[in-house]
Amino acid sequence: MAAENDEVPLNAIRVFVTIAREGSVTRAASALGITQSSVSRYLAVLQDYFGTDLVERRGRRSELTQFGRLFASTVAESLDTVCFTAKRMRRRNRSGVNRIVVRTSLSTFAHSFLIPNLQAFSAEMDGVVVDVISSLSPPTSCDNFDILITRDLSVIEPADDWVIYNEELVCVGSPHHVAGKTLSIVRSMPILNITSRPDILPTWLRAMNLTAKDIESGARYDHNYLALPAAITGKCLLVVPEIIVADLVRGGALHVIPGSRAPSGMQYRAYSVDRSDNPEIGRAFCRWIARLCKRAASVEAA
């Protein structure tokens, strides 16, 4: 059949490269957002085109054949280049508006601090549009972003970077329950757990000379922004980076327990990648967010 049809099945190649990267048909289907049966059909088309197997069964597992490994390693980088170039050209063709994409692994920081201040940056930069996306995955050089804001990730490509915030932790709660109380209240009120930041609570406890046995473990939430409403309305405490609750504290929705401030040892960094379509705007954004965080930290310290 391959001899009768010489048209290269590009969609099938893209699907096969995803299978090779993800390690299974199931994970490839999830990454591509299509069904497993569709992935299997694309794989069959490509194997038919070559006239040989690209994947073979090994017990319950599937592995690439030698031919499959050779083909995947040969075309994967070229396919990435095509996809990346297409995305950049698409962005460049969008109505001529200055636009940057900010990617961050700090979803609560983006929700509570970054996004509420973006209008000020846009006004300062004559209407620049700032798109914000969040991901906990390590970025690649093919991902579509101009700036990365992160605490625990880094870029693997040329980029300028800034330290924008040295993280300080505080213990907060509803003023109705904690105002006027001392640090000893942490022994009698449950402290919420954040699964995306399992480091925060142990770090803070060590700084306070406490152990997990000294506190009552409260409910679990994936992210701080999900836990904040519980801390505001419930009889519970939350140990959280101070920068993301500063406005809530100033507005009276939360109260910081005296003596609960402690450095986490973590730094927030902003990276402006060299491949950006708007590198000058990207660097201006990083300088702006660094200034904004510095002002916020100064207010917290005061």
Side-chain angles (χ1 to χ4, degrees):
M1 184 177 297
E4 297 174 358
N5 183 7
D6 289 332
E7 183 177 348
V8 178
L10 294 177
N11 284 335
I13 291 173
R14 175 172 173 263
V15 170
F16 172 68
V17 168
T18 305
I19 294 173
R21 283 181 175 157
E22 297 296 327
S24 76
V25 168
T26 301
R27 289 194 292 270
S30 177
L32 293 166
I34 60 178
T35 64
Q36 292 184 44
S37 59
S38 295
V39 171
S40 297
R41 283 196 296 271
Y42 278 118
L43 177 60
V45 167
L46 192 58
Q47 291 183 146
D48 188 56
Y49 176 83
F50 284 121
T52 187
D53 288 340
L54 299 171
V55 176
E56 60 185 356
R57 297 289 297 180
R58 293 286 180 87
R60 294 185 176 182
R61 298 191 311 167
S62 296
E63 294 183 0
L64 300 186
T65 63
Q66 183 177 357
F67 185 90
R69 287 193 298 272
L70 176 62
F71 182 68
S73 64
T74 301
V75 303
E77 185 175 349
S78 299
L79 185 63
D80 285 344
T81 300
V82 170
C83 293
F84 171 62
T85 302
K87 288 177 180 179
R88 288 192 68 183
M89 295 301 292
R90 180 182 177 216
R91 286 179 57 201
R92 187 173 294 171
N93 191 47
R94 287 179 181 172
S95 68
V97 174
N98 285 333
R99 192 182 204 106
I100 56 173
V101 177
V102 176
R103 171 174 169 158
T104 182
S105 61
L106 308 172
S107 55
T108 304
F109 174 81
H111 175 271
S112 302
F113 184 79
L114 173 62
I115 293 173
N117 287 289
L118 283 181
Q119 185 57 43
F121 175 76
S122 182
E124 186 178 313
M125 298 298 292
D126 297 325
V128 166
V129 177
V130 181
D131 299 330
V132 180
I133 57 176
S134 65
S135 175
L136 297 176
S137 302
T140 72
S141 58
C142 295
D143 292 336
N144 182 23
F145 68 92
D146 301 281
I147 295 149
L148 174 69
I149 297 178
T150 184
R151 171 189 58 88
D152 50 358
L153 303 176
S154 61
V155 297
I156 57 173
E157 58 186 299
D160 295 326
D161 69 286
W162 287 258
V163 175
I164 61 173
Y165 179 63
N166 291 304
E167 191 175 67
E168 294 277 336
L169 304 177
V170 289
C171 186
V172 297
S174 163
H176 177 70
H177 295 113
V178 304
K181 304 292 177 61
T182 65
L183 190 59
S184 62
I185 194 175
V186 302
R187 296 178 181 271
S188 58
M189 286 183 65
I191 301 182
L192 304 178
N193 292 276
I194 309 301
T195 55
S196 63
R197 287 295 306 272
D199 59 299
I200 281 185
L201 190 52
T203 298
W204 183 80
L205 288 174
R206 285 194 298 271
M208 298 295 112
N209 293 316
L210 297 169
T211 70
K213 295 180 180 179
D214 296 320
I215 65 168
E216 178 184 348
S217 182
R220 294 184 178 276
Y221 292 87
D222 280 346
H223 300 284
N224 276 310
Y225 69 83
L226 297 175
L228 285 173
I232 292 170
T233 61
K235 191 175 182 180
C236 56
L237 303 174
L238 176 64
V239 177
V240 65
E242 188 170 19
I243 197 168
I244 66 176
V245 294
D247 285 344
L248 293 171
V249 171
R250 283 192 290 271
L254 286 171
H255 182 81
V256 176
I257 297 174
S260 69
R261 183 180 286 105
S264 73
M266 295 292 181
Q267 289 183 327
Y268 297 179
R269 304 184 75 93
Y271 297 86
S272 177
V273 295
D274 286 359
R275 61 176 166 79
S276 169
D277 288 336
N278 293 297
E280 290 304 321
I281 296 176
R283 287 190 282 270
F285 178 89
C286 291
R287 290 190 291 268
W288 170 80
I289 191 67
R291 292 195 304 269
L292 191 67
C293 290
K294 185 176 181 180
R295 287 199 298 267
S298 297
V299 171
E300 293 163 8

